[in-house]
Amino acid sequence: MPCSCRWLRSKCHPLYYDTIINSRETIVLNIYQEYLLAMLKLRAYLKVSKLQLSKQELVNHLENCISYKYAQIRLLRREYGTVFKPPMDVLRWILYKAAAWCLKGKQNVLHGVAVELEKASKNDRYATIARTYNVSVSPSRSCAFKSIKI
């Protein structure tokens, strides 16, 4: 992949992150659903391209995407001011939850990464984040993504 974040360049509209019209939980849900869509794109891209990534390469790409999203939101906040800027750990936890849910499947590298990310999201480091935002990333709030087959 020439740029590890091309498939993550989702709609980062200020409207999705505006604290005047959205609660923090809704903003976290928006970010979670952006990541779900990105993970679906990643699965499709890897399937079609037959590109083989190691676990470490895939994790590196995901970490780059967290940094990319953080920078996007920071720019929006500078420009609009009312944008919720979650800490890096919150973005990382949201991505771990989205990737763990979306990348599970056949016993391959993606499944192995999904299992590791699921474990990582349950780390004590993220306990407070999980208590605060677990409802926002509940599968029932993103049930439309279950119907997408790749």
Side-chain angles (χ1 to χ4, degrees), residues 12-139:
C12 195
H13 294 297
L15 185 66
Y16 294 160
Y17 306 101
D18 193 322
T19 54
I20 293 174
I21 60 173
N22 296 306
S23 67
R24 286 181 184 232
E25 290 76 19
T26 301
I27 294 169
V28 168
L29 175 63
N30 290 337
I31 295 168
Y32 177 69
Q33 289 179 342
E34 287 178 17
Y35 279 147
L36 282 176
L37 185 59
M39 294 302 105
L40 289 171
K41 287 179 181 179
L42 172 65
R43 276 182 62 175
Y45 178 77
L46 292 176
K47 185 176 182 178
V48 170
S49 70
K50 307 274 192 256
L51 184 66
Q52 298 296 316
L53 293 176
S54 69
K55 279 185 186 180
Q56 190 55 50
E57 288 173 318
L58 187 54
V59 169
N60 288 343
H61 286 299
L62 295 177
E63 286 294 326
N64 288 340
C65 292
I66 294 166
S67 299
Y68 176 77
K69 180 59 73 183
Y70 187 78
Q72 272 187 320
I73 294 172
R74 191 176 62 222
L75 288 173
L76 288 176
R77 184 174 179 121
R78 271 193 219 139
E79 190 170 337
Y80 296 97
T82 60
V83 170
F84 170 58
K85 187 180 92 182
M88 189 72 88
D89 274 352
V90 172
L91 289 177
R92 184 171 284 111
W93 179 80
I94 296 168
L95 177 70
Y96 287 175
K97 296 295 280 185
W101 182 81
C102 194
L103 299 180
K104 285 182 183 169
K106 296 178 183 174
Q107 294 292 331
N108 58 19
V109 172
L110 294 180
H111 179 79
V113 169
V115 169
E116 287 181 27
L117 293 178
E118 181 68 30
K119 285 180 191 171
S121 73
K122 293 177 181 175
N123 187 313
D124 289 343
R125 171 182 180 180
Y126 302 112
T128 303
I129 296 168
R131 278 192 301 277
T132 306
Y133 297 115
N134 236 352
V135 173
S136 297
V137 299
S138 167

